[in-house]
Amino acid sequence: MVPKIRRGSRTHGLLVYLYGPGKRDEHTDAHLVGSWDGFAPDPGRDTSPDPDPKVTLARLAAALDLRVKQVGTKAPAQHVWHCSVRTDPGDRNLTDAEWNTVARRLVHAVNLAPEGDPDGCRWVAVRHADDHIHILATMVRGDLRRPRMNYDFKMAQAECRRLEKEMGLRQLRPGDGTGAKSPTSAERFKAERTGRPEAPRETLREAVRQAVAGAATEEEFFTRLREAGLRVKIRNAPSGDALGYNVALPGDRNRHGEPVWYPGSKLAPDLSLPKISLRLADGTAEQAAPPAADGRADWSSPARERRSATGIAERAADLLDDGADNTAAQLVGVGELLDAVAQTSPAVTRAELAAAARAFERATRSHVRAERADTRALRSAARGIVQAGGALGRGEDGGTTAMLLSTLVLVTLAAAHWHSARGHAQQAHASRQAAAHLRTAYHQAAATPMRVLHDQGRALPEAQRRTHEATLRAVLPKRDARADGTPTRTDALVATLAQVEQKGHDSEVLLRQAIDMRELDTAEDATDVLVWRLRRLAQLPAHPGEAPGRPQVGTHPARTLASRTSERNAPAAAPRPAVPDPHSRAPRR
């Protein structure tokens, strides 16, 4: 049950709309389901002889405005309180009597007409559809005083949560007032008329989020907005410093032919220029330095940046697991990282990653604030991904995308736990939604490399395979099935352990280090997570068919021209890293 509150100054005009046909003839059988005294005239069902709806409507408007007229110039300029209340599409249709109860409970909750108060404000509830009502009240009491209505939206929301439970309706998650503003009905109807898939407000919000992801300066942020094709208008102080900005979609104009501008603060609370400037000051994104040659394949820049971002994302998950309030800024950094990955993702995963970034946007905002939190690592990772450009979605690019997405699933689940511990129901739900989209994108990105790894594992000599399976039984907690109940397949993990040893590491020691990095209970498939952790720790190619120097275990000797060229261009091998000390526990990463 969703209440939406507005204020206005035209009682008669609003009644004309409520009892009229609607903007698209969507109003049917308009009638009262409740009023301040139960005897208000009803223009929709006037039973008097020879009724004239216009006359009845004028009588109703006059009755509602009686106290407003009596108080004269002391009446508030916007004396009309208008609240629409809508049930969920899956809910049953409420009866008129039940809607009357809803209206009376709401005007009592917001202190317009407290139950038993003879001087309460005058109000009516009009129903012109099965799933919602409109409550109209005039904000002058019978004693000619104004009602005390602080936090009316919050009070209405809380009462709706109680009504949902009592009436057996879908129970929505309580909000905290930090959500982005939803498109208005007029914006949605306009989008439908003009053939847009969504309202301009939503398109602009996503474009601004992506522009700020990893940006180092305000100038770079504004440049990205223009490069995204948006119209940008900057408001400057006399000193020349930017005070604010407005954005508009090309071709989106009002009835006068002028661009429809949206201030950043009206797109989302954290997209105002002061909030963006504070974010830039708290964690200035820096370009990551290129990695030193270490004998691995000459991976592309998108693949290198995604591999680097994986370790940074794991660190963010650890910080969220610690549960401190000052890790709230990590959520903003994770949101930027998701925006960066979404806008540079290959076509096969683009839709799911865009949906994940859009869902997680809600999880980045709450009333918890971290003072001067350091988000440079996450913002640098986002910046590196954006500057590296789009990944191809195959080869090493595709493998490192799967590696990163596997970690981001766990990060968003850690965010869900962090929010749940603080009672942030909407943010926790948004985090779980993002995790679901990321899982789907992961399966899309990981399909090819994991299939190759499974084939490599099955192709290992029997004795070598049994050795690595024994290592798994000794080290890995018993996991016979994935989260969805399907049997766990260990072929890819066995193949990775073989490649780890081929690289000069102790496979058991490195496996224990991968397990100790952080918990695996929230993973859909722990073996997949361990595959990617091991490949990153051992500096193995994320795509198993692109091993430097010599064929991977179980691969066919024939190679493509691209792979042979990659091998010829690979840097000279550096000394192999030392085998980790088996008696030391690796620090959490």
Side-chain angles (χ1 to χ4, degrees):
M1 186 176 290
V2 180
K4 184 177 291 186
I5 296 173
R6 308 174 187 84
R7 301 199 181 194
S9 58
R10 297 175 61 243
T11 306
H12 186 270
L14 179 55
L15 287 173
V16 168
Y17 167 74
L18 297 179
Y19 278 96
K23 294 183 178 179
R24 298 188 300 174
D25 296 324
E26 70 272 22
H27 297 176
T28 59
D29 188 24
H31 61 280
L32 289 184
V33 294
S35 66
W36 72 95
D37 61 358
F39 299 102
D42 186 355
R45 294 185 178 178
D46 193 343
T47 58
S48 61
D50 193 23
D52 183 344
K54 291 184 179 180
V55 173
T56 307
L57 191 145
R59 288 173 49 219
L60 178 58
L64 286 166
D65 276 340
L66 177 63
R67 307 302 184 194
V68 178
K69 299 295 185 184
Q70 288 177 339
V71 80
T73 57
K74 295 182 180 180
Q78 291 191 312
H79 64 271
V80 176
W81 187 85
H82 174 206
C83 176
S84 60
V85 191
R86 188 180 300 271
T87 55
D88 187 78
D91 285 334
R92 63 182 176 85
N93 290 336
L94 301 185
T95 65
D96 283 357
E98 287 175 315
W99 276 123
N100 178 40
T101 299
V102 170
R104 289 188 175 279
R105 292 273 295 272
L106 284 174
V107 294
H108 169 81
V110 301
N111 203 41
L112 271 168
E115 196 67 33
D117 183 357
D119 287 327
C121 297
R122 296 192 168 196
W123 61 272
V124 292
V126 180
R127 182 180 190 179
H128 54 211
D130 289 335
D131 64 346
H132 71 277
I133 60 170
H134 293 261
I135 304 172
L136 185 162
T138 49
M139 293 188 292
V140 177
R141 292 169 43 84
D143 53 14
L144 304 186
R145 292 186 292 114
R146 297 186 188 183
R148 295 180 180 273
M149 295 182 61
N150 295 331
Y151 309 108
D152 55 337
F153 178 75
K154 183 177 180 180
M155 297 297 102
Q157 286 276 9
E159 190 63 26
C160 282
R161 301 294 83 79
R162 289 187 283 268
L163 286 163
E164 289 163 355
K165 186 174 182 179
E166 295 173 16
M167 294 183 167
L169 305 175
R170 179 190 173 193
Q171 297 184 41
L172 302 183
R173 297 165 184 85
D176 60 2
T178 61
K181 183 178 179 180
S182 300
T184 64
S185 299
E187 290 173 346
R188 289 195 299 269
F189 294 152
K190 182 179 178 181
E192 292 178 12
R193 289 196 312 271
T194 56
R196 296 184 185 275
E198 60 186 2
R201 180 189 300 274
E202 296 173 304
T203 305
L204 291 168
R205 182 185 302 133
E206 183 169 7
V208 173
R209 280 202 339 263
Q210 292 186 352
V212 79
T217 63
E218 290 181 7
E219 290 74 15
E220 182 180 355
F221 165 62
F222 291 131
T223 299
R224 287 187 183 181
L225 288 178
R226 295 187 181 97
E227 289 175 347
L230 305 186
R231 299 173 66 103
V232 182
K233 185 168 59 175
I234 302 174
R235 182 164 54 89
N236 293 309
S239 63
D241 295 334
L243 297 177
Y245 71 99
N246 293 59
V247 289
L249 283 180
D252 183 26
R253 298 182 177 275
N254 58 24
R255 68 182 66 182
H256 304 296
E258 301 166 339
V260 180
W261 295 99
Y262 291 85
S265 60
K266 297 300 182 183
L267 297 177
D270 56 341
L271 293 183
S272 67
L273 187 58
K275 295 284 183 65
I276 290 174
S277 299
L278 184 61
R279 190 190 308 185
L280 299 180
D282 282 347
T284 301
E286 301 168 350
Q287 179 62 52
D294 57 3
R296 67 188 185 190
D298 186 19
W299 296 316
S300 69
S301 181
R304 186 171 60 247
E305 296 298 342
R306 280 164 168 73
R307 180 180 285 263
S308 174
T310 302
I312 294 170
E314 285 175 345
R315 174 59 179 162
D318 283 341
L319 291 173
L320 290 169
D321 284 342
D322 290 341
D325 281 354
N326 61 8
T327 60
Q330 299 298 315
L331 299 169
V332 178
V334 171
E336 287 198 28
L337 185 56
L338 282 172
D339 283 323
V341 174
Q343 64 185 293
T344 58
S345 62
V348 67
T349 57
R350 189 172 302 143
E352 290 295 336
L353 288 177
R358 186 171 283 197
F360 195 77
E361 181 254 355
R362 181 66 187 95
T364 62
R365 293 190 305 273
S366 70
H367 289 301
V368 179
R369 291 288 178 266
E371 295 296 329
R372 310 300 297 179
D374 187 353
T375 58
R376 282 175 294 182
L378 284 165
R379 301 201 69 249
S380 294
R383 181 177 178 80
I385 288 174
V386 170
Q387 291 192 337
L392 298 176
R394 57 181 183 269
E396 186 66 16
D397 281 1
T400 51
T401 296
M403 178 186 290
L404 176 56
L405 297 184
S406 173
T407 300
L408 286 175
V409 171
L410 300 182
V411 175
T412 50
L413 291 175
H417 179 75
W418 188 91
H419 280 302
S420 294
R422 289 160 177 77
H424 303 164
Q426 289 186 357
Q427 291 91 332
H429 176 66
S431 300
R432 287 188 286 268
Q433 279 186 315
H437 288 297
L438 286 168
R439 278 196 177 112
T440 302
Y442 166 75
H443 290 306
Q444 294 167 340
T448 298
M450 292 303 291
R451 183 175 64 249
V452 172
L453 279 171
H454 283 303
D455 291 343
Q456 291 175 356
R458 287 192 295 269
L460 283 171
E462 186 63 26
Q464 189 179 9
R465 180 181 174 85
R466 284 200 301 267
T467 298
H468 293 302
E469 287 177 341
T471 299
L472 289 179
R473 287 193 297 271
V475 177
L476 187 63
K478 186 174 179 60
R479 294 178 184 272
D480 296 327
R482 292 158 40 112
D484 59 6
T486 58
T488 298
R489 296 175 60 188
T490 60
D491 297 325
L493 188 51
V494 166
T496 298
L497 289 174
Q499 294 164 18
V500 164
E501 286 202 342
Q502 188 181 38
K503 188 82 171 185
H505 298 282
D506 184 316
S507 60
E508 180 176 342
V509 169
L510 212 62
L511 178 60
R512 291 185 185 277
Q513 183 178 343
I515 292 172
D516 288 345
M517 286 169 71
R518 67 182 308 272
E519 58 83 24
L520 294 168
D521 293 336
T522 55
E524 183 183 39
D525 190 334
T527 59
D528 275 25
V529 175
L530 290 174
V531 163
W532 299 118
R533 287 181 184 175
L534 284 168
R535 301 194 78 81
R536 191 172 63 82
L537 289 172
Q539 294 297 323
L540 293 171
H543 191 277
E546 295 187 356
R550 53 186 174 182
Q552 290 284 0
V553 178
T555 58
H556 194 278
R559 298 183 302 280
T560 65
L561 175 63
S563 66
R564 292 198 299 270
T565 303
S566 175
E567 291 176 8
R568 287 197 301 270
N569 295 335
R576 290 189 307 195
V579 177
D581 181 358
H583 300 292
S584 65
R585 179 182 175 92
R588 294 181 71 191
R589 297 172 62 105

